[in-house]
Amino acid sequence: MDSSTVKIILLTIHYLFFIYAFTVIASYIFLAVISAIESIQYIKKNSFVNYNEILASTVSPSISIIAPAYNESLNIIENVRSLLSSHYVNYDVIIVNDGSKDNSLELLIEAYDLVEVNYLINEQLKTKPLREGIFKSTNPAFEKLIVVDKENGGKADALNFGINISKSKYVACIDVDCLLLEDSLQKMIKPFLEVTDEKVIASGGVIRIANSCIIKEGKLLDVNVPKKLIEVAQILEYLRSFLLGRMAWSRLNGLLVISGAFGMFDKKIAIEVGGYDTNTVGEDMEIIVRMRGYMEEKKVKYKVAYIPDPLCWTEAPDNYKILISQRNRWTRGTIETLRKHRKIGFNPKYNLFGMLSYPYWFFFERLAPIIEVVGILYFLILIALKNVRWEYALAFFILAYLFSVMFTIIAIFSEELTFHQYKKKGTGFKLLLVTLLEPFILHPFILYAALRGNFDYYFNKKKKWGEMTRKGLSKK
Amino acid sequence: MNEFEYLIDNFKQLPVLIKIVWILSGILGVIIINLVIYLKYLRGYLRNKEKIFAKFQSEYEGELINYLYASEEEDATKLKIVKKMKTCIKDKFKRKIFLTVLSKLKNDISGEMADSIQHLYVESGLIDYSLAKLKSSKWDVKAVGIKELALFEITNVYSEISKYKDYPKQEVRNEVQLYFVNLFQFKGLDFLNDLITPISEWNQIQLLEILQKFDDQQITDISPWLKSENKSVVMFALKLAKIYNQFQVINILLELLAHENKDIRVEAIKVLSYFQANEAKQILKNNFINSSIDEQIAFFNMLEGIVETSDEDFILENVSHENFEIKTLALKLLKFINTDRFNSLSLVASDVESKAIFNYLEDN
């Protein structure tokens, strides 16, 4: 290979990087514009809705909240109380104790006066068998509560068990440690009931970070911005993702993921597609992709709805070790899902789902960390070869940094103009300060976690969920 | 100054691409500075707005309480308050607060005081703003206008609001339907007679809840709605038939068993089941094999209330149904009408699923 060929190859690489970066930025701008349109539309549509009549109505559709629990004894009593405090009338709560090794079940039995009941299970989804059985409360105050104690099979298996025993038309799958606001069920069910010309197959809610918030007896009393930079940085990341990203994808009806922390499904369709996949760590994304694929194949007009109201609050990792473990899992989940459903990508049979959503996730979520690392390595090689044109490098670094800062500030704006949760004086300054630091204090770790996720996916197949230690929302 | 000139000179010598990048960075920098300044202003503005809102809200609540509790001899006080309110509502922000307070009170109280609030809504001129909203080209403004007119029970705009019952935007239609039912009770359901657009499930539930709040529960004839070409109207009428025990429409319900829409057929079975309509049994038995699973399940649920020993053969045909729910219901019914047969089948049950069902039914 002569030097001119090498030069051509290098130049091509440069242009590919440039085109990729340009497309990423262009897509972000596009999504931000779409999300602004959708936010305005959402606020307009919901500013005069009366939720009270739906709450009390006996003809409202039934909803089962399914919450898998594994070694959650620290917070389980309070978390269940929070789940039982919804204002919606027609619902029940199914806690699936997924083979916990701690005393979660004993605590639940004692706190909620549970007794074992004979329950006929229609095993439409294959799951691990029961361990101690199914329990219901003798106390009428907790009549909505069902506790299942089964052998350990993972989160997806526990959710499938919950779906099997649910008698409701809709199932809300949540993490047991999430705090749901009292009006979350009626807001999540609304898209299913208001649509007349298509079928809503699932709805997903925004997840907000509850670290440092004041929570008492399962109720959110005060919203605070945490002290640790890593936690604040995640707040900004969530704002960007939920208020700019998912909002826009919802408008385009191209949402590929609804958070496992809180999502609602049409139970019949969830069962028809085979429920949650127990062989992936990204079961929340996988089931949506599968449901979408199923609807596209059946040629039924459908929608995955998205509710931007802050309905579900959860605890985010407060140290890098747990953060990396969490993001590692998310990465593996994305890879597994995209690989499993690769026939959808660039397939016109799947319409916008195959031609836009899937390719976007593939290029800008799946490949992004790899391309970024390749770019960094290439840059390091150029430094070693003293072949960096610093006037170019510096200018592009600054441009990229300023764009990321601007994009985050737009997300903060979106939050202020819509849900305005961080009202306290000084919090705006704190959010802005962390906006400037986030590319250095959060992004490198997420990049590292994504790389580890890739590595573990290909070379460490045994790795499953990883560590997620929680302190409890009201224990601070 | 020299340093600045030096920078300018350097910039001029840069390649075009770098110049563009630096210019873009400069633009982004300026945008960021502006956004930061505006964000600070916005947060301050929102905080102040909340404070001012709360302040005026409390002031208007006080005024309204005075207005409501002013005796007939205190007409001057009332007039003074109305005059003040008239001035206030010229300001858009204050009008919004006043309307919020008034709406809250209207929702919380009833009787003479509610009438006084309604009177104040008209007297203060707020009604004119609501009527103006109806003319707006923005659908959300129109919907809010209709909502306000419904809340303050302005009945004389019925014909104006009727124009929007098939409005393209669903939210406007919802408000129109709520207006009709809130103000004209069951008579308000007349809009169903010639409704072209669908009523969402969400709004159907809301309408039913509102109807159930009225003292007079005398429902009008629902037969025409059960025969409507609008499927959502039929579905809504089926709900009405069940809630208001409309036994007289059983014949129409029987006709609906052959409706082209599956959801309507299923719902019709459920209503007939609620009425324990024996007449439906043979029709459904005859159609059973050609029915959808949902219809079959609904029929077996129906049989729970009207099963007879003569149904045994039909039930036996389905005790091994591939659908778990139907199989369970069939065995449950068999246990009810012929325990010996149930027990004998229980003894020969071999598969895990059947055993589980038998075990469960034996204990329950």
Side-chain angles (χ1 to χ4, degrees), chain A residues 136-184:
Chain A
K136 288 199 82 173
S137 179
T138 52
N139 184 343
F142 308 124
E143 65 173 0
K144 291 183 190 298
L145 179 64
I146 300 170
V147 174
V148 176
D149 187 68
K150 64 177 275 290
E151 285 180 15
N152 181 263
K155 187 181 172 187
D157 191 70
L159 287 167
N160 284 342
F161 202 105
I163 292 172
N164 276 340
I165 68 161
S166 162
K167 291 191 165 63
S168 303
K169 191 174 178 192
Y170 299 100
V171 286
C173 299
I174 79 154
D175 285 347
V176 74
D177 53 1
C178 278
L179 176 88
L180 289 189
L181 298 194
E182 290 98 333
D183 57 354
S184 33

Side-chain angles (χ1 to χ4, degrees), chain A residues 41 45 48 50 53-54 57 118 120 122 193-194 268 392 395 402 413 416 422-424 427-428, chain B residues 18 21 25 32 35 38 43 47 147 169-171 201-202 205-206 209 213 294 324 328 360 363:
Chain A
Q41 197 74 0
K45 265 178 81 169
F48 48 84
N50 183 356
E53 271 125 17
I54 299 294
S57 174
N118 190 357
L120 184 62
N122 181 4
L193 304 180
E194 69 180 352
K268 197 175 169 199
Y392 277 78
L402 290 175
F413 254 95
E416 293 295 340
Y422 303 101
K423 293 178 183 173
K424 288 184 183 163
T427 53
Chain B
I18 297 302
V21 172
S25 297
I32 288 169
L35 284 176
Y38 183 57
R43 285 180 59 83
R47 264 198 306 271
K147 193 180 181 72
K169 199 79 186 170
Q170 186 184 314
E171 284 71 21
E201 184 74 20
W202 179 266
I205 296 169
Q206 294 207 72
E209 278 304 299
K213 285 177 192 160
D294 291 336
F324 181 88
T328 309
Y360 174 78
D363 294 345

